[in-house]
Amino acid sequence: MEYTAQTPDEFIAELKKRLSQNPGCGVSHYNLGTAYVAKGRLIEAEAEFLSAVECSPSLAEAYVQLGGLAMNKGNLDGCLEWNEKASRARPLFAVPFGNIGFVHLQRGEVDKAEKALRRAVKIDPKYVQALATLGNALYMKGDVDGAEFHSTKALEVEPNFGPAINTLALVALDRGDFPKAKEFVDRARATGFEPHPGLVQEIEAGLAK
């Protein structure tokens, strides 16, 4: 069914009208939730996503959105739980596995992060966030070559993805190539990503020798 709304507020009004006629439509609840997110109305968005999964338990995107709202509140457990539900609802959907990997990495659970992230990139080899996060996870495990490989793969998809560039700066630093590390730091900054001050200081100290 096509939408006739021209503005976000008209879109919200149209969705509300449709839901008044068909309150059990999970997709309409999901679309209304995303419209509320775009307006910054997160409490209303959460209610709509909850209605979406109640009406359509296989709607994986709604679980992912609920995970994002949980993350926005700093609730890592909630983010993990919702994304795990999304992964069960649609096992070949890469996004929840990428998010699961990110949460595990935030907790320092690097092996669990790697497992989830490898599954994400197996499903979608061009999923840039998962590629970059996997590169970071492998660097944390001491696998510098793996970190370089997956970070480079991420940049093949999105050349200005700051987190992947930052990991390559870490790789160059680990190898003692301070000029290359500085080049990557400058490149990361140009994308709007700010490297950790400790990394910058270590590179500057190496260049000063």
Side-chain angles (χ1 to χ4, degrees):
M1 186 180 294
E2 294 183 359
Y3 295 96
T4 60
Q6 300 296 313
T7 69
D9 287 336
E10 289 176 353
F11 184 52
I12 288 172
E14 186 173 341
L15 284 165
K16 284 183 173 181
K17 182 178 179 181
R18 292 188 182 193
L19 284 167
S20 70
Q21 298 167 347
N22 183 13
C25 180
V27 172
S28 291
H29 281 293
Y30 172 79
N31 288 336
L32 183 54
T34 59
Y36 280 143
V37 169
K39 298 282 288 185
R41 295 162 62 175
L42 302 186
I43 294 175
E44 291 160 294
E46 184 175 19
E48 293 302 326
F49 293 136
L50 287 169
S51 294
V53 297
E54 182 178 351
C55 296
S56 302
S58 63
L59 191 55
E61 290 87 351
Y63 292 115
V64 168
Q65 290 283 358
L66 287 164
L69 292 174
M71 177 64 77
N72 189 59
K73 298 175 185 176
N75 181 2
L76 290 177
D77 289 342
C79 182
L80 184 62
E81 180 181 351
W82 286 119
N83 278 284
E84 285 176 341
K85 287 183 178 181
S87 72
R88 291 193 292 272
R90 194 189 308 166
L92 295 180
F93 186 22
V95 173
F97 291 104
N99 292 341
I100 289 167
F102 178 79
V103 171
H104 282 308
L105 201 60
Q106 292 298 303
R107 290 174 160 182
E109 299 164 349
V110 184
D111 289 337
K112 290 181 179 180
E114 181 186 357
K115 181 179 179 181
L117 292 163
R118 285 193 183 279
R119 184 160 183 182
V121 299
K122 183 177 181 179
I123 296 168
D124 182 359
K126 294 187 177 181
Y127 183 15
V128 63
Q129 290 88 348
L131 286 165
T133 308
L134 179 55
N136 188 25
L138 292 173
Y139 180 82
M140 291 173 67
K141 289 186 70 172
D143 182 358
V144 177
D145 291 340
E148 181 180 41
F149 176 81
H150 287 92
S151 298
T152 301
K153 284 289 184 183
L155 296 180
E156 289 174 3
V157 180
E158 191 174 325
N160 294 319
F161 195 67
I165 299 170
N166 183 72
T167 298
L168 290 175
L170 290 166
V171 168
L173 178 62
D174 194 76
R175 292 174 173 165
D177 190 342
F178 298 106
K180 192 69 175 177
K182 175 70 161 54
E183 179 185 326
F184 281 126
V185 162
D186 291 342
R187 186 175 161 190
R189 282 175 166 163
T191 71
F193 182 93
E194 187 58 39
H196 191 279
L199 169 61
V200 176
Q201 292 170 3
E202 205 170 338
I203 292 170
E204 290 175 348
L207 289 170
K209 289 181 180 179

